[in-house]
């Protein structure tokens, strides 16, 4: 059984070209899917300062005023939108149509390959090519833009005031003509424009994945094929306003990281935590207080470190930004740590190839030594 974990996976919605070398997904991820047919009332909105506190360009999950929306899989329709409310109640399909069974395109929750949130509106992509704007309760669908026929398939990222689109290499073209392209889609106007064309024309990008958007800049792992047909793995910085592309450093692993201030933080299993100074270009290696660490996600105030599986259980360690161990929690390996908000850590439960948010941890409990994994809706 193929179970996708946030620390080591390639998701069908995320791969950009079917190369022999496909990198691991550079984000912790959720393959959310379930067949819930109940609908709930309008939940309570969270204060603005509680929302969107973790900078990560998710494609299938986004924090809104009323909770976390995620894309789940449903029979006959593909992917639909679920809402996990702020009050900890059970997730439900984001549709309030009477007698709707959520099994066709007429459902208000009909989604697609991505989710975004901007200026009080929820955005989704339908049929891989239409960017749709809607109210946060799933009503009032409006087409913002449709991808031109000249643009092939690819991947969408929520990037602040826009949707970032990365077109995959067209494998039907001769090899020398294959290349990735970057595009910007303005959430407000639908304006569609190509980014970094000089860089993508001069470099043969074999694959790419974005791990963080910070203002007008985004950071990602880019695989570049050299004239000698070798693959170089670069951590890169892209500025969507100025068009500047900057190679930061090469890596031999599928590193992901997070940028806070002028430092890029990343983790290498078995070696430790790294800090790369964006100004000086120097890297400093830090300690590794968790010997069995296999993955790390950097939040604004904590580092979440996942330990290896042990007899059906897994431990999640919480480190402060000085790499001191603050707390830990052990939970069944069938649960998958999936998403972080300002208040909570959400977990998913897998049934075959489908999953659903089903449990959470209150961040306020971290540091007290008595963390409880709570079931949603209990």
């Amino acid at each position: 059984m193929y179970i996708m974990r946030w620390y080591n996976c390639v998701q069908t919605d995320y791969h950009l070209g079917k190369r022999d070398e496909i990198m691991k997904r550079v984000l912790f991820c959720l393959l959310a899917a379930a067949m819930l047919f109940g609908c709930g009332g309008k939940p309570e909105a969270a204060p603005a300062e509680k929302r969107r506190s973790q900078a990560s360009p998710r494609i299938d999950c986004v924090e809104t005023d009323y909770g976390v929306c995620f894309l789940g899989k449903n029979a006959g329709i593909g992917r639909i939108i679920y809402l996990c409310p702020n009050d900890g109640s059970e997730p439900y399909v984001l549709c309030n149509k009477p007698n709707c069974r959520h099994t066709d395109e007429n459902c208000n929750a009909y989604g697609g390959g991505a989710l975004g949130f901007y200026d009080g509106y929820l955005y989704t992509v339908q049929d891989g090519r239409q960017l749709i704007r809607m109210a946060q309760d799933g009503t009032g669908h409006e087409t913002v833009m449709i991808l031109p026929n000249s643009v092939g398939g690819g991947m969408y990222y929520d990037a602040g005031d826009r949707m970032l689109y990365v077109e995959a290499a067209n494998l039907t073209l001769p090899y020398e003509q294959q290349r990735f392209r970057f595009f910007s889609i303005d959430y407000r106007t639908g304006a569609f424009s190509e980014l970094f064309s000089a860089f993508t024309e001069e470099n043969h990008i074999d694959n790419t994945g974005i791990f963080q958007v910070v203002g007008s800049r985004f950071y990602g792992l880019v695989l570049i094929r050299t004239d000698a047909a070798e693959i170089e793995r670069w951590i890169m910085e892209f500025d969507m306003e100025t068009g500047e592309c900057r190679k930061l450093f090469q890596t031999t692993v599928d590193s992901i990281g997070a940028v806070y201030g002028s430092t890029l933080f990343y983790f290498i299993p078995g070696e430790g935590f790294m800090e790369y100074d964006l100004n000086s270009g120097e890297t400093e290696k830090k300690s590794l207080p968790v010997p069995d660490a296999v993955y790390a996600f950097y939040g604004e105030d904590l580092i979440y470190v996942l330990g290896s599986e042990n007899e059906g259980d897994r431990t999640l360690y919480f480190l402060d930004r000085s790499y001191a161990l603050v707390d830990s929690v052990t939970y069944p390996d069938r649960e998958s740590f999936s998403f972080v908000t300002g208040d909570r850590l959400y977990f998913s439960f897998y049934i075959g190839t489908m999953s659903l948010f089903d449990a959470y941890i209150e961040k306020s409990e971290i540091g007290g030594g008595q963390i409880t994994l709570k079931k949603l809706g209990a």
Side-chain angles (χ1 to χ4, degrees), residues 214-232:
V214 183
S216 67
R217 294 181 174 88
F218 66 85
Y219 298 84
L221 173 64
V222 181
L223 277 58
I224 299 177
R225 188 175 293 271
T226 67
D227 292 338
E230 297 178 348
I231 297 295
E232 295 180 347

Side-chain angles (χ1 to χ4, degrees), residues 45-54 63-65 67-68 85-88 301-302 304 318 339-346 360-366 374:
E49 64 270 15
K50 295 285 188 181
R51 293 183 285 104
R52 302 176 65 78
S53 60
Q54 305 295 334
E63 192 174 357
T64 71
D65 291 330
V68 178
N86 291 321
D87 61 6
D301 51 354
L302 292 170
Y304 307 92
F318 304 95
F339 196 72
V340 180
T341 68
D343 294 324
R344 293 180 179 144
L345 284 66
Y346 286 97
Y360 66 96
I361 288 173
E362 296 284 3
K363 290 181 70 175
S364 60
E365 293 184 353
I366 299 173
K374 302 179 178 67

Side-chain angles (χ1 to χ4, degrees), residues 55 70 104 167 257 260 305 327 363 371:
F70 63 91
D104 59 39
E167 180 191 28
Y260 293 101
V305 181
D327 212 335
K363 290 181 70 175
I371 300 174

Side-chain angles (χ1 to χ4, degrees), residues 224-299:
I224 299 177
R225 188 175 293 271
T226 67
D227 292 338
E230 297 178 348
I231 297 295
E232 295 180 347
R233 283 170 154 78
W234 285 93
I235 299 296
M236 294 193 59
E237 177 187 72
F238 297 84
D239 192 314
M240 293 179 283
E241 295 297 334
T242 66
E244 180 184 3
C245 308
R246 186 160 67 114
K247 292 179 178 178
L248 301 179
F249 58 89
Q250 282 188 262
T251 178
T252 58
V253 297
D254 293 324
S255 303
I256 79 162
V259 174
Y260 293 101
S262 60
T263 304
L264 189 155
F265 301 86
Y266 65 101
F267 170 74
I268 299 179
E271 293 191 28
F273 298 94
M274 310 293 176
E275 296 185 3
Y276 175 85
D277 191 302
L278 293 170
N279 295 323
S280 68
E282 296 180 353
T283 299
E284 183 178 358
K285 182 178 178 179
K286 299 295 184 177
S287 63
L288 183 60
V290 182
D292 67 333
V294 295
Y295 197 87
F297 167 68
Y298 292 82

